[in-house]
Amino acid sequence: MSPRPRGSLRALPRATLPVCVLIAVLSGAMAYAINVVHDTQGGHGRTARTTVTASASSSSSSSSSSSSSSSSSSSSASLSSHQQSPSSSSSSHSSSSSLGGKRQRQNVLHSPPSSSASSSASSPPSAMSSKPVKLQIKGFKSTPSLPQDFEQRGWDTLRSAVRAIYSSEAVPQNLETLYRTTEQLCSHKFDARLYERLSAECEAHARATLNSLLASSEDDDSFLVCMKHTWDDYCAQQKFIRSIFLYLDRTYILQNKEARSIWDLGLHYFGSIVLANDQIRARILRALLAVVALERDGSTIDRMLVRGLLQMLRVLDLYVEVFENEFLETSRAFYRRESLANIHVLDSAKYLEYCSRRLEEEKERVAVYLGDSSEKALVALTEQELIAIHADTIVGRGFDEMMGEGRVATLALMYSLLARVDRLQLLADRWRLYISSKGADIMKKSDADSALVSDVLAFKRMCDSVLQDSFGLNTDFKDAMNGAFEQFMNAQPTKPPELLAKYVDRMLRSGNRSCTEGELDSVLADVIILFRFVKGKDIFQAFFRKDLAKRLLLGKSASIDTERVMIQKLKEECGPQFTSKFEGMFKDVDLSKELMHSFKNSKAAGAIASDVDFAVNVLTTTFWPPYAPATVKLPIDMTFYQDVFKEYYLEKHQGRQLSFLHALGHCVLKANYPKGRRELCVSLFQAVVLLLFNDGHKFVYTDIRDATGIDDKELRRTLQSLACGKQNKLLLKLPKGREVKDTDEFIMNDKFVSKLFRIKVNSIQSKETAEEQEKTHEDVRHDRQYQIDAAIVRIMKARKSLKHALLMAELFSIMKFSVETSVAKKRIESLIEREYLERDPQDRTVYHYLA
């Protein structure tokens, strides 16, 4: 037979006559229903039941009586016998009954209370007699009560289990019994005393644990292991006890805010008793610090052991009080000693690697067993002791060496470490100082002016690489770099812009084969960057214009498109006014090509020999650099060609003046040598000198000067280019030597040989002389005077009256080039003389504007 479910009825065997007394409590009155069941198998296979129903009212509890009890005077009963059918049963109730000393449950069939019951069917022959049965029902004589030792017996059971758990022994009772015991005690209002007794047991066990640890004589390492095992056992025991007293935890403790949970109660006593002991605390701290020190020295430790103990302190909220504060101070002292020892032994690069390694070790230590709560303070003090205190030494001793060797990775490490301690400004200042010093050294190479710009560009590329790869394009470092470049490039106000213009000229000349077109664009972009740092942009403009004129007029430009690209870059940098003259020069060249095409198709061109290719560039004076007129006696044919073109041009453009600049002319001569015919590309002055030798084989210097009418200095340079060069000596000088004297003789070099058919003879006059350079600077200074005058007038017109110091300060701030104080004073005096300004009669340091 299967076990009977709780709340269900047990199946009864047939042919038995059980009697059940069921009790139901109905709102203060007691309703009793007695059900007497005869269960027999009739001849027709039907079941016959006899039901006795009684009703009574009572104020006390009632219990079932035996089936032979007599009827009570306070109740009446009637017996009805009927044949049971499905529709004759009503709702049933569950109650307790007594039969033969055993309790049984069975459904109850209720019928309305009545003094008499009618029989709905005849009983079968085997049914009991129809004689009425009288029953007497009585309530309990006394209220049920708990045994006197109920609480003590329950606590004894629980206490024995608790002590067995704390002793790591087998618990004699099963968990369900212990749980039910706790539940019963709490249900009968013994929960408060149960909590007090359990708290006392926990406290006693914590004290016993303390005594056991104090009695331990192990060394520090073994003590840590013992402490870890003790903590693990204590936690496991506390979890076991909590499962037994779970009902108490979820009822009484939840309703009382002052009471701690079973788990917190155990932790409280362990922390307030075991770890409150100064000797235990000191031992744990000393052992943990020693273990960490061993690991910092390179030894291998049991990290899980340390992690478990630190987790214990963290759970008990004693991590900071017991361990962290002292640990941080010990770490600070450790790294202070170690950094002082290493900073004087290791170079900056190795010291940076040491700092990085130590920081990574501390981060790993935090991740493994220290916990995130210690990371910020630990890393901060490590950075402070290793980096911040020695930042000046790290940067000052090793930065220049790293920059010189191009150690980008080490510089990036230095940057990242100094960023941790907010000392990047120190590095930025050193970065600026290094660039300024190195740039000044480059600018002092006066014997290598041709390579100066290339060196500065290479240095700029290196700095850009460091800025990007090491400093992450930090804007402060970028500003420091730009400021340093601006400082050393303007230390000599006139030299950098002049050399920059000459470098651009070399790169744009047709003979330049040092780079491809794409590389040339990159170089020009770098030049523009350097150009931004130069304050004397007007000096660059003057020299660039002169060089551009020579490239355009002498046909030495590598690419007109590249020339236009460079001018466009300058226009974007300085505005259209800066490049207006450059663009006008290109416009003149284009118009000259159209003009010559028109001239060659005109009738006037018929006067020119067919084997002569005559070309003229008409230049607008305001666009092109000023050129001094050069005197020269041209051959008759050349003079005739010029006159023909001049007549054609003036007839077409009336009211204009036309003057020829012979210094910028060039020719292609056809020369017949004994070993072959050659074409000579020469300047106009060189061509005039060479054409003399058609009329003679030898000429003295004075004869050449008288015949050509060329200026003495210009003629000497021309003869040097023809007779004193290393290559292409078209003339021979007697006696030999570099310098040309009045008595020197020149003869035609009949033995001249060259593998080339067309030979380009370099002309010294095409190179700018020192006098020409000084004249260009003088022109710039002259133009600057007008700019300074205009600036002063604008300031005074707006202010009306201004003191000298304020006027000078405002003037210096608005000028795009460096203005010397002496020059500014001279310009103020000039404006006073020209009655643009006047001094105040009372205060000579105040100026007034005169309208």
Side-chain angles (χ1 to χ4, degrees):
M1 181 180 298
S2 60
R4 175 172 58 91
R6 183 177 180 184
S8 63
L9 299 179
R10 179 184 298 177
L12 299 177
R14 294 184 181 277
T16 59
L17 299 176
V19 178
C20 299
V21 180
L22 307 178
I23 306 172
V25 181
L26 301 176
S27 62
M30 302 299 294
Y32 302 90
I34 300 100
N35 186 19
V36 181
V37 179
H38 297 272
D39 192 359
T40 57
Q41 183 72 30
H44 301 283
R46 294 181 298 175
T47 301
R49 293 182 181 270
T50 303
T51 302
V52 180
T53 301
S55 63
S57 297
S58 173
S59 60
S60 62
S61 301
S62 61
S63 62
S64 60
S65 60
S66 62
S67 59
S68 60
S69 300
S70 59
S71 60
S72 173
S73 60
S74 61
S75 64
S76 62
S78 62
L79 177 65
S80 64
S81 176
H82 61 87
Q83 188 71 29
Q84 184 177 1
S85 64
S87 60
S88 63
S89 63
S90 62
S91 62
S92 60
H93 296 270
S94 163
S95 67
S96 60
S97 63
S98 175
L99 179 62
K102 298 181 179 179
R103 287 179 172 269
Q104 295 181 353
R105 298 177 184 271
Q106 211 169 51
N107 290 334
V108 180
L109 302 178
H110 294 275
S111 59
S114 175
S115 59
S116 63
S118 60
S119 177
S120 60
S122 301
S123 300
S126 59
M128 63 175 53
S129 172
S130 60
K131 183 178 179 179
V133 179
K134 294 183 179 181
L135 300 177
Q136 185 177 4
I137 300 173
K138 297 181 179 180
F140 292 113
K141 294 181 179 180
S142 62
T143 303
S145 60
L146 294 173
Q148 293 182 356
D149 58 347
F150 175 77
E151 180 187 7
Q152 187 61 40
R153 282 192 294 107
W155 168 243
D156 291 343
T157 301
L158 296 175
R159 181 177 56 191
S160 62
V162 170
R163 291 181 177 179
I165 293 171
Y166 280 144
S167 302
S168 300
E169 299 175 355
V171 179
Q173 300 84 3
N174 59 59
L175 292 178
E176 183 178 2
T177 301
L178 296 173
Y179 181 84
R180 294 299 179 190
T181 303
T182 302
E183 182 181 7
Q184 291 173 3
L185 290 174
C186 293
S187 300
H188 291 88
K189 308 302 180 182
F190 298 119
D191 44 9
R193 281 190 291 180
L194 177 62
Y195 179 79
E196 293 175 359
R197 290 176 172 180
L198 177 61
S199 177
E201 289 296 323
C202 293
E203 182 179 2
H205 176 65
R207 297 190 182 281
T209 301
L210 172 62
N211 295 332
S212 175
L213 292 174
L214 290 175
S216 175
S217 59
E218 300 173 333
D219 56 14
D220 288 345
D221 293 341
S222 300
F223 177 76
L224 288 181
V225 176
C226 177
M227 189 69 203
K228 177 66 166 55
H229 290 164
T230 300
W231 169 250
D232 292 342
D233 292 343
Y234 188 87
C235 290
Q237 293 164 358
Q238 205 63 27
K239 290 178 181 178
F240 198 175
I241 293 172
R242 182 180 61 179
S243 65
I244 294 175
F245 292 90
L246 188 60
Y247 190 86
L248 177 66
D249 213 12
R250 294 182 177 179
T251 54
Y252 173 76
I253 294 175
L254 287 179
Q255 297 171 2
N256 293 269
K257 296 181 179 180
E258 297 80 5
R260 294 185 177 91
S261 66
I262 306 299
W263 173 255
D264 292 341
L265 186 67
L267 298 182
H268 167 70
Y269 284 123
F270 194 90
S272 61
I273 295 176
V274 178
L275 292 183
N277 185 271
D278 295 338
Q279 184 177 349
I280 298 296
R281 283 192 177 192
R283 234 181 140 176
I284 292 175
L285 177 62
R286 183 174 64 250
L288 288 175
L289 294 178
V291 170
V292 175
L294 285 175
E295 186 180 36
R296 284 174 173 163
D297 291 336
S299 302
T300 302
I301 65 170
D302 186 354
R303 287 185 163 191
M304 293 300 101
L305 173 63
V306 179
R307 178 177 181 175
L309 291 173
L310 294 180
Q311 183 65 23
M312 172 192 72
L313 296 177
R314 198 171 284 108
V315 169
L316 298 175
D317 200 19
L318 297 173
Y319 177 78
V320 176
E321 178 182 351
V322 175
F323 176 76
E324 185 178 59
N325 293 334
E326 188 65 28
F327 168 72
L328 294 177
E329 290 302 320
T330 304
S331 300
R332 186 185 301 277
F334 170 79
Y335 282 120
R336 181 170 296 175
R337 292 192 306 271
E338 192 173 66
S339 64
L340 288 174
N342 289 329
I343 191 65
H344 300 296
V345 177
L346 304 176
D347 59 27
S348 292
K350 292 183 178 180
Y351 185 80
L352 290 171
E353 294 174 358
Y354 153 74
C355 294
S356 178
R357 186 183 72 253
R358 280 302 193 186
L359 286 170
E360 292 299 324
E361 289 175 358
E362 293 302 331
K363 285 187 176 181
E364 182 184 4
R365 200 166 285 120
V366 167
V368 175
Y369 57 80
L370 290 177
D372 296 338
S373 61
S374 299
E375 180 177 7
K376 185 176 181 180
L378 178 60
V379 172
L381 72 87
T382 305
E383 293 170 347
Q384 177 69 20
E385 297 300 328
L386 296 183
I387 305 170
I389 294 179
H390 307 290
D392 294 333
T393 304
I394 294 172
V395 176
R397 192 174 62 181
F399 181 79
D400 292 357
E401 180 182 354
M402 296 175 194
M403 286 293 298
E405 297 176 0
R407 303 172 67 174
V408 177
T410 306
L411 289 170
L413 179 59
M414 178 184 289
Y415 175 84
S416 63
L417 293 179
L418 291 175
R420 291 171 173 266
V421 295
D422 196 21
R423 297 300 300 275
L424 285 180
Q425 188 59 45
L426 175 66
L427 183 59
D429 294 341
R430 186 67 185 186
W431 160 256
R432 178 168 185 164
L433 180 62
Y434 172 82
I435 295 175
S436 300
S437 176
K438 185 69 174 178
D441 293 340
I442 296 174
M443 298 301 293
K444 288 178 182 178
K445 296 179 180 179
S446 57
D447 57 339
D449 286 348
S450 60
L452 188 144
V453 177
S454 299
D455 293 342
V456 174
L457 284 175
F459 181 57
K460 179 63 169 58
R461 294 188 191 101
M462 186 270 289
C463 292
D464 288 338
S465 176
V466 172
L467 179 65
Q468 179 176 354
D469 299 335
S470 300
F471 303 148
L473 296 176
N474 186 298
T475 54
D476 293 337
F477 282 75
K478 186 175 181 179
D479 294 341
M481 180 185 70
N482 294 339
F485 270 87
E486 184 176 349
Q487 177 183 352
F488 77 76
M489 290 194 68
N490 292 285
Q492 301 178 26
T494 60
K495 185 177 181 180
E498 176 186 349
L499 296 179
L500 199 60
K502 293 184 178 299
Y503 178 80
V504 174
D505 178 57
R506 290 196 303 271
M507 298 304 296
L508 295 178
R509 282 181 177 271
S510 58
N512 175 38
R513 296 185 178 91
S514 61
C515 55
T516 63
E517 185 175 352
E519 293 173 345
L520 181 59
D521 291 339
S522 177
V523 170
L524 294 180
D526 293 338
V527 168
I528 290 298
I529 294 176
L530 294 183
F531 175 73
R532 293 178 186 147
F533 302 137
V534 175
K535 290 184 178 179
K537 291 180 172 58
D538 51 348
I539 300 177
F540 175 90
Q541 182 186 35
F543 281 95
F544 182 84
R545 186 170 64 150
K546 292 187 67 174
D547 295 333
L548 176 62
K550 291 181 179 181
R551 292 195 301 270
L552 293 178
L553 298 178
L554 300 179
K556 294 184 177 181
S557 178
S559 171
I560 296 297
D561 293 337
T562 306
E563 296 277 5
R564 293 184 184 276
V565 168
M566 182 62 189
I567 292 175
Q568 181 62 31
K569 292 180 181 294
L570 293 173
K571 185 176 182 179
E572 294 174 354
E573 190 67 27
C574 300
Q577 185 177 0
F578 187 83
T579 59
S580 60
K581 294 182 179 180
F582 306 152
E583 294 172 343
M585 294 164 68
F586 276 96
K587 185 177 180 181
D588 283 349
V589 172
D590 294 337
L591 292 176
S592 296
K593 291 179 180 179
E594 296 178 1
L595 178 63
M596 291 310 301
H597 179 73
S598 175
F599 172 73
K600 290 180 180 180
N601 293 329
S602 66
K603 294 180 180 180
I608 299 176
S610 60
D611 60 343
V612 175
D613 187 7
F614 179 73
V616 177
N617 286 311
V618 180
L619 313 180
T620 304
T621 306
T622 56
F623 295 154
W624 297 80
Y627 295 103
T631 58
V632 61
K633 295 179 181 179
L634 296 177
I636 297 175
D637 292 343
M638 288 187 180
T639 304
F640 175 72
Y641 298 153
Q642 288 185 359
D643 293 340
V644 170
F645 177 80
K646 185 175 183 179
E647 182 180 355
Y648 169 79
Y649 183 82
L650 294 178
E651 182 181 352
K652 190 174 182 179
H653 302 280
Q654 297 179 1
R656 295 188 182 181
Q657 293 182 356
L658 195 63
S659 59
F660 287 92
L661 301 175
H662 299 114
L664 299 176
H666 61 281
C667 302
V668 177
L669 301 180
K670 296 178 181 180
N672 296 317
Y673 287 96
K675 294 186 178 181
R677 185 179 180 182
R678 296 290 186 270
E679 289 185 357
L680 306 177
C681 298
V682 294
S683 68
L684 180 61
F685 292 157
Q686 290 172 332
V688 171
V689 172
L690 290 174
L691 288 174
L692 287 177
F693 288 87
N694 287 333
D695 301 328
H697 183 69
K698 181 187 293 186
F699 290 93
V700 181
Y701 172 78
T702 56
D703 296 337
I704 297 175
R705 181 182 60 190
D706 295 339
T708 59
I710 301 175
D711 181 72
D712 186 70
K713 291 183 179 179
E714 191 67 43
L715 180 58
R716 293 180 189 274
R717 289 198 298 264
T718 301
L719 291 174
Q720 285 177 343
S721 66
L722 293 173
C724 302
K726 294 181 180 180
Q727 297 177 350
N728 302 329
K729 291 185 178 181
L730 303 181
L731 301 178
L732 296 178
K733 175 179 170 295
L734 299 175
K736 294 181 179 181
R738 180 67 179 171
E739 297 298 327
V740 177
K741 299 179 180 179
D742 294 347
T743 59
D744 290 343
E745 296 180 347
F746 295 88
I747 61 176
M748 194 69 184
N749 185 9
D750 295 334
K751 299 180 181 180
F752 175 76
V753 178
S754 177
K755 295 180 180 180
L756 301 176
F757 177 75
R758 174 168 286 194
I759 302 165
K760 184 177 182 180
V761 180
N762 292 327
S763 56
I764 295 179
Q765 67 267 26
S766 65
K767 297 181 180 179
E768 194 170 30
T769 63
E771 293 81 2
E772 291 176 338
Q773 292 180 6
E774 181 58 32
K775 186 178 183 307
T776 303
H777 285 295
E778 183 62 32
D779 293 339
V780 172
R781 288 192 290 269
H782 188 265
D783 291 339
R784 284 184 173 181
Q785 292 181 2
Y786 297 118
Q787 297 182 44
I788 296 173
D789 291 349
I792 294 174
V793 170
R794 283 198 302 270
I795 294 172
M796 293 304 300
K797 187 176 182 179
R799 300 299 184 89
K800 305 302 181 184
S801 297
L802 201 63
K803 282 194 172 185
H804 175 79
L806 297 177
L807 175 60
M808 297 292 286
E810 191 166 351
L811 176 65
F812 293 154
S813 65
I814 65 175
M815 296 307 296
K816 296 181 180 180
F817 52 83
S818 299
V819 179
E820 296 180 1
T821 305
S822 59
V823 174
K825 289 181 178 179
K826 289 180 181 179
R827 301 321 308 161
I828 293 174
E829 294 296 333
S830 175
L831 291 172
I832 293 175
E833 292 175 1
R834 288 179 285 168
E835 297 183 353
Y836 285 94
L837 305 177
E838 68 174 358
R839 295 183 185 274
D840 189 275
Q842 305 298 329
D843 188 353
R844 304 289 293 175
T845 62
V846 176
Y847 304 111
H848 299 291
Y849 175 72
L850 297 178

